[in-house]
Amino acid sequence: MRDYNITHLDELESESIFVIREVAAQFEKPAILFSGGKDSIVMTYLAKKAFWPARIPFPLLHIDTGHNFQETLDYRDDLVKELGARLIVGSVQEAIDLGRVTEEKGYNASRNLLQTITLLDAIEKNKFDCCMGGGRRDEEKARAKERFFSHRDEFGQWDPKNQRPELWNIFNGRKHMGEHFRVFPISNWTEMDVWQYILKENIPMPSIYFTHEREVFNRDGTWLAAAPFMKLKPTENPEMRTVRCRTIGDISCTGLTLSTANSLEEIIDEIAATRVTERGSRADDLRSEAAMEDRKKEGYF
């Protein structure tokens, strides 16, 4: 008789697919929040598995800051074509032009926080009652507080002290009109789990995750990508370095890792040996001790 061994990756996959199918069962108009980063890519891949051979029954919602890495936008467009999925794009630049948000000024100006209003506008405009995100509990302490099914009030806000209990695999998606849920199917995954799963399933990834030469500059110990909209201090001089992304966000807040990892195996080895946390170089998290929690309370991802 053939042995059947289930690995921890198989268990994580089963749990996530169960959560995604619960979303399909409990909500009328869900969407997948897709950034082009590894977590939203894995979540979309799991959604594909959950409903195969049918298409994913949810649209992908991408909030474009106008300052994204081109590699992630190219990957997004190719994936949408491959899946035959519907893509909805919320534009931060459009929100700025309409006066919905005000662009920050100064050396540390970022459009990262401005995504919140654009995201909430897109949710309201499209009447989404559930948005699945690729957040994981091991990423950051505020994300560790999130339940699988996380309630948002009619203003899109999150109250971490008033969340519903989740007993075993019983998820409560009840809500009042105008409210919605954020659901995190890969909450229990770690960064290492994600990369091991990508290797196991041979999931294509954006080239920006692998080592490449890029013009960067160092600010307070963090390597940031040079770009026309990045305002440099007099002491900052862009130079060519061999880098890769470990986590991907807006260019203005994404710290790059000096690395020679050029394959999935080398990335896994690098993560296993590093002493720096995944989001340790994200400028948006360094603004204050509670930066992520404050953003999430206002409706951020």
Side-chain angles (χ1 to χ4, degrees):
M1 184 176 176
R2 185 178 177 184
D3 291 335
Y4 179 73
N5 296 313
I6 187 167
T7 68
H8 78 288
L9 292 178
D10 295 327
E11 292 190 7
L12 288 171
E13 179 191 70
S14 297
E15 179 183 65
S16 299
I17 287 177
F18 175 78
V19 172
I20 291 169
R21 287 174 175 163
E22 275 292 298
V23 167
Q26 293 197 32
F27 296 96
E28 294 180 2
K29 201 167 182 186
I32 292 175
L33 298 177
F34 187 84
S35 67
K38 63 185 184 306
D39 301 316
S40 62
I41 290 171
V42 166
M43 185 173 59
T44 304
Y45 182 85
L46 291 165
K48 177 184 172 184
K49 270 198 167 186
F51 302 104
W52 182 262
R55 291 182 181 179
I56 299 174
F58 322 120
L60 306 187
L61 173 58
H62 179 233
I63 303 304
D64 184 355
T65 66
H67 291 169
N68 295 104
F69 289 99
Q70 187 59 45
E71 293 93 331
T72 60
L73 298 180
D74 293 341
Y75 182 95
R76 177 200 70 185
D77 293 341
D78 291 342
L79 182 66
V80 166
K81 286 180 185 175
E82 178 191 332
L83 296 176
R86 180 182 168 217
L87 174 67
I88 297 172
V89 178
S91 169
V92 172
Q93 182 61 57
E94 189 176 308
I96 293 171
D97 294 341
L98 292 172
R100 293 281 296 149
V101 293
T102 303
E103 192 148 29
E104 294 181 344
K105 305 293 183 186
Y107 291 114
N108 296 309
S110 171
R111 290 185 173 183
N112 190 55
L113 182 59
L114 308 186
Q115 294 181 94
T116 301
I117 296 298
T118 307
L119 171 62
L120 295 178
D121 284 349
I123 290 172
E124 183 176 2
K125 179 182 177 182
N126 293 280
K127 306 296 182 190
F128 291 130
D129 57 358
C130 173
C131 289
M132 286 185 283
R136 309 187 325 268
R137 289 180 174 133
D138 82 316
E139 277 185 271
E140 203 276 341
K141 54 185 179 296
R143 287 188 166 165
K145 297 179 181 179
E146 289 276 21
R147 306 291 170 86
F148 277 101
F149 277 36
S150 188
H151 175 263
R152 297 295 189 272
D153 66 18
E154 61 183 321
F155 304 105
Q157 296 174 329
W158 175 58
D159 182 357
K161 297 178 181 177
N162 186 27
Q163 292 295 301
R164 297 170 182 176
E166 291 184 337
L167 305 176
W168 301 285
N169 57 359
I170 300 173
F171 303 120
N172 184 351
R174 291 186 181 180
K175 56 180 174 44
H176 296 293
M177 183 177 289
E179 298 174 345
H180 73 275
F181 271 77
R182 303 289 175 83
V183 173
F184 303 97
I186 62 170
S187 272
N188 285 340
W189 297 50
T190 65
E191 181 188 17
M192 180 63 85
D193 295 329
V194 170
W195 281 111
Q196 288 179 333
Y197 186 75
I198 290 168
L199 175 63
K200 173 176 172 284
E201 299 290 315
N202 194 26
I203 303 173
M205 298 300 292
S207 60
I208 198 168
Y209 275 117
F210 302 95
T211 187
H212 59 283
E213 282 205 336
R214 184 177 292 270
E215 192 173 31
V216 297
F217 63 95
N218 194 290
R219 175 173 294 169
D220 302 326
T222 298
W223 291 100
L224 295 170
F229 50 82
M230 295 291 279
K231 188 176 181 181
L232 298 177
K233 298 178 181 178
T235 56
E236 293 170 341
N237 298 303
E239 55 187 295
M240 296 300 291
R241 287 278 186 154
T242 303
V243 296
R244 75 174 191 88
C245 273
R246 194 171 162 195
T247 175
I248 297 177
D250 187 285
I251 288 177
S252 62
C253 66
T254 300
L256 297 160
T257 301
L258 298 177
S259 171
T260 57
N262 200 30
S263 67
L264 294 175
E265 291 84 352
E266 289 176 351
I267 289 173
I268 290 170
D269 288 344
E270 185 178 273
I271 293 170
T274 188
R275 302 278 296 172
V276 179
T277 62
E278 181 180 1
R279 294 182 69 96
S281 59
R282 285 286 291 260
D284 46 342
D285 290 355
L286 300 177
R287 291 194 169 197
S288 75
E289 182 67 20
M292 173 65 88
E293 182 157 329
D294 290 342
R295 293 201 304 274
K296 288 179 74 66
K297 285 179 179 175
E298 295 173 2
Y300 187 73
F301 301 89

